Amino acid sequence: MKKGKILLSLSILAALGSFSAPLSWAADVTNPAKKVNTTVEGNVSAGVAENEGDNAVSNILTLDTGADISGNATGGVAVEGAGNALTNTVDVLDTAKVAGAVTGGVSYDGNAKENVVNMAGGTVIRGVTGGRTLGTGEAALNQVTIYGAAIGEETEQSGAVFGGVSAKGMANNNVVKIVGSTTTYENVMGGFSTGASANGNKVTLSGTNSIGTNIYGGDGQTGASNNELILEDNSTIGVESNTEIGYAAGGYTHTGDVLSNKLTVEGGTMNYAIGGYTETGGNAESNELTITSGTVYVEAAGGLIDGKVEYEANGGTRVETEGATKNIVTMNGGEVRNLSGGRVNYYATGDAIANEVYVSDEVQIDYLVRGGSTYYGNANNNIVEMTGGTAGMGVEGGESGADLLIQTNKYHKKSNRTLILIMQPLELR
C-alpha cells in the first residue's frame, strides 16, 4: 500500500531550520500576542525559546486578512537544545496565505503538548500541524480545527494535516476536527509517529470535504491503539480510480499491532474503511467498524492484517502473525464491495478468531460477507448475522483458504455461523 506523499509532508521539518541553544538558566518564553496582516518574507513565529532548557509557552500568532507568508508560520518554537513547546496557538483567518507550513508548537528536543491551530478560511501550502517534536519527545494533546480552508497544492501533492507529530517519540491524544468545505491534497491524521506508537488520537470530519490521499485517527510506526476516526456527512477520501489511496482507518501501524481502534462511517466515499489496519504484519484485535451510510468501493473490515510490503521485501516469505481476533463490524446502511469482521491477507499467516459482523436494514454488499477470513491459518468462532440487506456473492461465517481448521457449530453462540434472521426482506444472490 502506498501512503500518498508522507515523505513529502515530513520534508517541512527541514524547512524549520537548525538552531542551537546557548547555555543559560531555564525559563518560559511567553511573548505578547502577535498579529500579521501584511506580506512577510521568510518565517514568522510568535515566540522562540533559544536558551538551554527554555520552554516556548502560550505564544499566540494570528494571521489575518492580508497576511501572505512566504515561509512557515509557528506559534512557539523551542530550538535545538531548548525545552518544550506548550500551549502555543496559531489562528489563520479569512484570506491569509502561508506558502510553507503552519504549526502551533515545535520542539526540537523536548515535548510538544497542548498546542493549537485554528483555521477559519485561509490557504496553507505545506501542511498544518498542532504540535510537532523532532526528536524523542512526545506529541500529545495537540489540536487542529479547520473550518473551510485549502491545505496543500495539487501539483505537488503537498498539504497534510496532523494533530500531533513525533519523529521518534509517541503521538498520543491529539485531535483534528475538519468542518465545512475543506480541501487537503495529502493525508489527515490525528496523531502520527514515525518512530514509536500512536494512541488515543481522534479525527472528526464533517461537511463536504475532499481528502487527497488517506485519513487515519492515529498512525504509529510501532503500533496504534484506541484511536478513533468519525466520518460524517459527505466527504471524499482519495479517488475511486486509484486503489493505492483512499484509506480511512481508525488506527494504522506499519510494524506493530492495532488494538481497540474505531472507525464510524456516516457518509461519503472511500476505497477502504478499516477499524484497525496493520501494514506489515502485526496483530489486529478488538477494532470496530460502524457504517450507517456512504460507499466503500473496495473493502470494509473491522481489523485487517496486510503484510504485502514485508512479503515483497522478503522475496515472497509470508509474515507470521497471531492473527485478527475479536474485531466487530456493524452495518445498517450504505454500500460496500466486500465486508469482513477480521481478515488476514494473502501475504501473511495467522488465524481469524472470534470476529463478528452484524448487517441490517437497507445495506448493499456487492460481493462477500465474511465473519473471519484468512488464507494461511485457522478460522474459528466467527459470526455473521444478517437481518436485512443484500449480499451479491454469499455469506461465510469463517473462511480459511488453506483448508486448515474451520470449526463450525450452527447452534453454538461462539462457533462460526451464518445466522440469517428474516426480520426484513433479505436477498442473497
Side-chain angles (χ1 to χ4, degrees), residues 337-339 365-370 393-396 399:
R337 183 178 177 88
N338 289 291
L339 184 65
I365 298 108
D366 297 331
Y367 283 81
L368 289 173
V369 181
R370 295 168 288 196
M393 298 294 290
V395 183
E396 298 175 345
E399 174 191 56

Side-chain angles (χ1 to χ4, degrees), residues 221-223 253-259 276-285 303-307 310 319-325 343-345 348-351:
Q221 176 69 25
T222 62
T253 182
H254 302 262
T255 62
D257 299 335
V258 280
L259 309 173
Y277 185 111
T278 175
E279 182 180 37
T280 59
N283 304 309
E285 182 177 342
L304 177 63
I305 299 172
D306 190 3
E310 191 169 342
V319 182
E320 295 183 3
T321 75
E322 292 182 14
T325 60
R343 192 166 82 79
V344 183
N345 209 346
T349 66
D351 299 331

Side-chain angles (χ1 to χ4, degrees), residues 187-189 203 205 211 213-217 229 231 237 247-250:
N187 297 302
V188 174
M189 302 179 192
V203 174
L205 190 65
I211 308 302
T213 52
N214 309 305
I215 182 168
Y216 308 131
L229 170 60
L231 304 179
I237 315 299
Y247 284 80

